[in-house]
Amino acid sequence: MLPLLVVTDGMAQSHRENLPAWRKLYREASASNNAESMALFMDSTRQMHPECPLAQGFLAVAELMLAEETWNPLDKLTRFNTWQPELESAMKTLPGDPDLALLRLGVQAHVPSILNYKQDMANDEDLVRLALALGHWSNDPEHAAFADAFLSYLKSL
């Protein structure tokens, strides 16, 4: 079953103009395996826009990426347990949002199986594929290429 692709509500729509910059931060953090600058930027953005689920999702993913960069296993787990619910909360506020689905898919692909956080991978992957097919990222071709490359990467896992 294909997931529902949604057009976001007015609250999230008002922050859509920020998405290209947020997406770029995510791509850079993914490429460098260093999410610190993304986390700092998204933290200040979230403080200015606490009602924005997109900012919440991007911040949560930055923090989850930082968990992966952390050396101490207990610190990794603590950070994961703090920020995974934040990502899920953003997803519940904007179910079917392709940007959030791509973010969560990236997290799910990289967390250890013991954390049992892979249950939405198939739906998120379907949603990202559908978004690509419908041109969701047509105004951000670099991010569309990133999403497409990530889907190809998933096939290799």
mmCIF file of all heavy atoms in Angstrom, residues 2 7 22-23 27 29 35-36 40 47 62 64 87-88 91 108 110-111 113 116 127 130 140 143 154:
data_model
loop_
_atom_site.group_PDB
_atom_site.id
_atom_site.type_symbol
_atom_site.label_atom_id
_atom_site.label_comp_id
_atom_site.label_asym_id
_atom_site.label_seq_id
_atom_site.Cartn_x
_atom_site.Cartn_y
_atom_site.Cartn_z
ATOM 1 N N LEU A 2 0.614 2.165 -0.921
ATOM 2 C CA LEU A 2 1.385 3.395 -0.977
ATOM 3 C C LEU A 2 0.935 4.352 0.112
ATOM 4 O O LEU A 2 -0.252 4.457 0.407
ATOM 5 C CB LEU A 2 1.209 4.086 -2.333
ATOM 6 C CG LEU A 2 2.016 3.516 -3.477
ATOM 7 C CD1 LEU A 2 1.709 4.260 -4.761
ATOM 8 C CD2 LEU A 2 3.497 3.559 -3.200
ATOM 9 N N VAL A 7 -0.203 17.519 1.215
ATOM 10 C CA VAL A 7 0.160 18.922 1.083
ATOM 11 C C VAL A 7 0.062 19.476 2.492
ATOM 12 O O VAL A 7 -0.944 19.278 3.172
ATOM 13 C CB VAL A 7 -0.811 19.656 0.135
ATOM 14 C CG1 VAL A 7 -0.484 21.125 0.085
ATOM 15 C CG2 VAL A 7 -0.775 19.019 -1.235
ATOM 16 N N TRP A 22 17.520 24.274 4.948
ATOM 17 C CA TRP A 22 17.528 23.153 5.887
ATOM 18 C C TRP A 22 17.961 21.864 5.186
ATOM 19 O O TRP A 22 18.718 21.069 5.726
ATOM 20 C CB TRP A 22 16.162 22.961 6.517
ATOM 21 C CG TRP A 22 15.668 24.139 7.311
ATOM 22 C CD1 TRP A 22 16.378 25.260 7.661
ATOM 23 C CD2 TRP A 22 14.369 24.315 7.839
ATOM 24 N NE1 TRP A 22 15.578 26.115 8.377
ATOM 25 C CE2 TRP A 22 14.334 25.564 8.505
ATOM 26 C CE3 TRP A 22 13.212 23.546 7.812
ATOM 27 C CZ2 TRP A 22 13.203 26.052 9.148
ATOM 28 C CZ3 TRP A 22 12.073 24.029 8.449
ATOM 29 C CH2 TRP A 22 12.080 25.269 9.119
ATOM 30 N N ARG A 23 17.451 21.674 3.966
ATOM 31 C CA ARG A 23 17.828 20.491 3.194
ATOM 32 C C ARG A 23 19.332 20.485 2.913
ATOM 33 O O ARG A 23 19.988 19.445 2.991
ATOM 34 C CB ARG A 23 17.063 20.454 1.875
ATOM 35 C CG ARG A 23 15.584 20.176 2.014
ATOM 36 C CD ARG A 23 14.896 20.435 0.692
ATOM 37 N NE ARG A 23 13.483 20.154 0.737
ATOM 38 C CZ ARG A 23 12.622 20.653 -0.143
ATOM 39 N NH1 ARG A 23 13.043 21.446 -1.123
ATOM 40 N NH2 ARG A 23 11.343 20.364 -0.038
ATOM 41 N N ARG A 27 22.066 17.645 3.821
ATOM 42 C CA ARG A 27 22.953 16.997 2.850
ATOM 43 C C ARG A 27 24.415 17.135 3.268
ATOM 44 O O ARG A 27 25.193 16.180 3.194
ATOM 45 C CB ARG A 27 22.750 17.588 1.448
ATOM 46 C CG ARG A 27 21.429 17.238 0.811
ATOM 47 C CD ARG A 27 21.385 17.626 -0.659
ATOM 48 N NE ARG A 27 21.741 19.007 -0.939
ATOM 49 C CZ ARG A 27 20.875 20.026 -0.974
ATOM 50 N NH1 ARG A 27 19.587 19.817 -0.717
ATOM 51 N NH2 ARG A 27 21.290 21.248 -1.264
ATOM 52 N N ALA A 29 25.592 17.649 6.327
ATOM 53 C CA ALA A 29 25.828 16.833 7.525
ATOM 54 C C ALA A 29 25.952 15.361 7.150
ATOM 55 O O ALA A 29 26.797 14.649 7.698
ATOM 56 C CB ALA A 29 24.709 17.045 8.539
ATOM 57 N N ALA A 35 27.190 16.619 12.090
ATOM 58 C CA ALA A 35 25.906 17.314 12.145
ATOM 59 C C ALA A 35 25.886 18.471 13.133
ATOM 60 O O ALA A 35 24.835 19.043 13.392
ATOM 61 C CB ALA A 35 24.803 16.326 12.495
ATOM 62 N N GLU A 36 27.034 18.837 13.668
ATOM 63 C CA GLU A 36 27.051 19.870 14.701
ATOM 64 C C GLU A 36 26.519 21.210 14.197
ATOM 65 O O GLU A 36 25.684 21.835 14.861
ATOM 66 C CB GLU A 36 28.461 20.049 15.263
ATOM 67 C CG GLU A 36 28.487 20.973 16.458
ATOM 68 C CD GLU A 36 29.847 21.029 17.126
ATOM 69 O OE1 GLU A 36 30.692 20.149 16.879
ATOM 70 O OE2 GLU A 36 30.047 21.958 17.908
ATOM 71 N N LEU A 40 23.131 23.109 15.591
ATOM 72 C CA LEU A 40 23.150 24.478 16.146
ATOM 73 C C LEU A 40 22.185 25.386 15.403
ATOM 74 O O LEU A 40 21.415 26.135 16.015
ATOM 75 C CB LEU A 40 24.565 25.050 16.106
ATOM 76 C CG LEU A 40 25.565 24.411 17.063
ATOM 77 C CD1 LEU A 40 26.980 24.908 16.761
ATOM 78 C CD2 LEU A 40 25.185 24.693 18.508
ATOM 79 N N GLN A 47 13.888 27.449 18.183
ATOM 80 C CA GLN A 47 13.558 28.394 19.257
ATOM 81 C C GLN A 47 12.756 29.566 18.716
ATOM 82 O O GLN A 47 11.859 30.076 19.398
ATOM 83 C CB GLN A 47 14.835 28.875 19.944
ATOM 84 C CG GLN A 47 15.467 27.799 20.794
ATOM 85 C CD GLN A 47 16.755 28.252 21.444
ATOM 86 O OE1 GLN A 47 16.906 29.415 21.773
ATOM 87 N NE2 GLN A 47 17.676 27.316 21.635
ATOM 88 N N ALA A 62 19.141 16.115 13.204
ATOM 89 C CA ALA A 62 20.502 16.592 13.472
ATOM 90 C C ALA A 62 21.005 16.013 14.795
ATOM 91 O O ALA A 62 22.142 15.534 14.886
ATOM 92 C CB ALA A 62 20.539 18.118 13.499
ATOM 93 N N LEU A 64 19.932 13.289 16.264
ATOM 94 C CA LEU A 64 20.099 11.843 16.102
ATOM 95 C C LEU A 64 21.380 11.519 15.337
ATOM 96 O O LEU A 64 22.043 10.513 15.619
ATOM 97 C CB LEU A 64 18.875 11.240 15.412
ATOM 98 C CG LEU A 64 17.618 11.206 16.290
ATOM 99 C CD1 LEU A 64 16.372 10.976 15.451
ATOM 100 C CD2 LEU A 64 17.756 10.148 17.380
ATOM 101 N N LEU A 87 11.297 13.357 16.638
ATOM 102 C CA LEU A 87 11.101 13.103 15.208
ATOM 103 C C LEU A 87 9.724 12.491 14.971
ATOM 104 O O LEU A 87 9.001 12.900 14.059
ATOM 105 C CB LEU A 87 12.209 12.195 14.671
ATOM 106 C CG LEU A 87 12.097 11.784 13.201
ATOM 107 C CD1 LEU A 87 12.011 12.997 12.283
ATOM 108 C CD2 LEU A 87 13.273 10.892 12.823
ATOM 109 N N GLU A 88 9.355 11.542 15.792
ATOM 110 C CA GLU A 88 8.037 10.913 15.641
ATOM 111 C C GLU A 88 6.904 11.919 15.853
ATOM 112 O O GLU A 88 5.882 11.856 15.166
ATOM 113 C CB GLU A 88 7.894 9.729 16.597
ATOM 114 C CG GLU A 88 8.735 8.534 16.198
ATOM 115 C CD GLU A 88 8.422 8.034 14.791
ATOM 116 O OE1 GLU A 88 7.236 7.866 14.442
ATOM 117 O OE2 GLU A 88 9.388 7.830 14.035
ATOM 118 N N MET A 91 6.522 13.816 12.732
ATOM 119 C CA MET A 91 5.879 12.951 11.732
ATOM 120 C C MET A 91 4.370 12.844 11.977
ATOM 121 O O MET A 91 3.593 12.821 11.035
ATOM 122 C CB MET A 91 6.500 11.549 11.752
ATOM 123 C CG MET A 91 7.951 11.468 11.347
ATOM 124 S SD MET A 91 8.291 11.800 9.620
ATOM 125 C CE MET A 91 7.340 10.562 8.789
ATOM 126 N N GLN A 108 16.500 5.647 10.220
ATOM 127 C CA GLN A 108 16.183 4.218 10.335
ATOM 128 C C GLN A 108 17.220 3.343 9.642
ATOM 129 O O GLN A 108 17.521 2.242 10.109
ATOM 130 C CB GLN A 108 14.802 3.930 9.747
ATOM 131 C CG GLN A 108 13.677 4.539 10.555
ATOM 132 C CD GLN A 108 12.326 4.291 9.917
ATOM 133 O OE1 GLN A 108 11.539 3.535 10.462
ATOM 134 N NE2 GLN A 108 12.071 4.910 8.781
ATOM 135 N N HIS A 110 20.318 3.816 9.470
ATOM 136 C CA HIS A 110 21.628 3.832 10.122
ATOM 137 C C HIS A 110 21.626 3.445 11.600
ATOM 138 O O HIS A 110 22.694 3.289 12.177
ATOM 139 C CB HIS A 110 22.267 5.218 9.943
ATOM 140 C CG HIS A 110 22.627 5.485 8.521
ATOM 141 N ND1 HIS A 110 21.845 6.245 7.695
ATOM 142 C CD2 HIS A 110 23.670 5.052 7.775
ATOM 143 C CE1 HIS A 110 22.391 6.292 6.502
ATOM 144 N NE2 HIS A 110 23.496 5.569 6.515
ATOM 145 N N VAL A 111 20.472 3.312 12.214
ATOM 146 C CA VAL A 111 20.478 2.935 13.636
ATOM 147 C C VAL A 111 20.657 1.431 13.768
ATOM 148 O O VAL A 111 20.228 0.668 12.903
ATOM 149 C CB VAL A 111 19.191 3.375 14.385
ATOM 150 C CG1 VAL A 111 19.054 4.878 14.407
ATOM 151 C CG2 VAL A 111 17.972 2.716 13.826
ATOM 152 N N SER A 113 20.011 -2.344 14.736
ATOM 153 C CA SER A 113 18.754 -3.116 14.797
ATOM 154 C C SER A 113 18.237 -3.269 16.216
ATOM 155 O O SER A 113 17.026 -3.346 16.428
ATOM 156 C CB SER A 113 18.960 -4.499 14.176
ATOM 157 O OG SER A 113 19.275 -4.368 12.826
ATOM 158 N N ASN A 116 15.325 -1.251 17.394
ATOM 159 C CA ASN A 116 13.991 -1.551 16.888
ATOM 160 C C ASN A 116 13.297 -0.308 16.314
ATOM 161 O O ASN A 116 12.162 0.013 16.667
ATOM 162 C CB ASN A 116 13.136 -2.193 17.990
ATOM 163 C CG ASN A 116 11.892 -2.853 17.437
ATOM 164 O OD1 ASN A 116 11.893 -3.304 16.287
ATOM 165 N ND2 ASN A 116 10.845 -2.901 18.235
ATOM 166 N N LEU A 127 6.976 6.516 0.203
ATOM 167 C CA LEU A 127 6.588 7.926 0.185
ATOM 168 C C LEU A 127 7.629 8.771 -0.538
ATOM 169 O O LEU A 127 7.286 9.641 -1.340
ATOM 170 C CB LEU A 127 6.388 8.432 1.611
ATOM 171 C CG LEU A 127 5.772 9.813 1.656
ATOM 172 C CD1 LEU A 127 4.292 9.709 1.968
ATOM 173 C CD2 LEU A 127 6.450 10.653 2.697
ATOM 174 N N LEU A 130 7.388 8.095 -4.255
ATOM 175 C CA LEU A 130 6.216 8.771 -4.790
ATOM 176 C C LEU A 130 6.460 10.272 -4.909
ATOM 177 O O LEU A 130 6.107 10.892 -5.918
ATOM 178 C CB LEU A 130 4.994 8.494 -3.904
ATOM 179 C CG LEU A 130 3.673 9.135 -4.323
ATOM 180 C CD1 LEU A 130 3.251 8.682 -5.717
ATOM 181 C CD2 LEU A 130 2.592 8.818 -3.297
ATOM 182 N N ASP A 140 13.972 22.003 -6.110
ATOM 183 C CA ASP A 140 15.239 21.802 -5.407
ATOM 184 C C ASP A 140 15.906 20.557 -6.013
ATOM 185 O O ASP A 140 15.977 19.501 -5.375
ATOM 186 C CB ASP A 140 14.969 21.611 -3.908
ATOM 187 C CG ASP A 140 16.221 21.719 -3.052
ATOM 188 O OD1 ASP A 140 17.341 21.680 -3.611
ATOM 189 O OD2 ASP A 140 16.081 21.814 -1.820
ATOM 190 N N HIS A 143 18.384 18.437 -4.083
ATOM 191 C CA HIS A 143 17.825 17.563 -3.050
ATOM 192 C C HIS A 143 17.109 16.370 -3.675
ATOM 193 O O HIS A 143 17.135 15.263 -3.119
ATOM 194 C CB HIS A 143 16.893 18.347 -2.120
ATOM 195 C CG HIS A 143 16.731 17.699 -0.790
ATOM 196 N ND1 HIS A 143 17.749 17.592 0.128
ATOM 197 C CD2 HIS A 143 15.671 17.082 -0.213
ATOM 198 C CE1 HIS A 143 17.340 16.965 1.208
ATOM 199 N NE2 HIS A 143 16.073 16.633 1.023
ATOM 200 N N LEU A 154 19.946 2.540 -0.429
ATOM 201 C CA LEU A 154 19.154 1.586 0.363
ATOM 202 C C LEU A 154 19.095 0.211 -0.305
ATOM 203 O O LEU A 154 19.061 -0.803 0.387
ATOM 204 C CB LEU A 154 17.734 2.110 0.578
ATOM 205 C CG LEU A 154 17.574 3.241 1.568
ATOM 206 C CD1 LEU A 154 16.113 3.672 1.642
ATOM 207 C CD2 LEU A 154 18.087 2.866 2.950
#
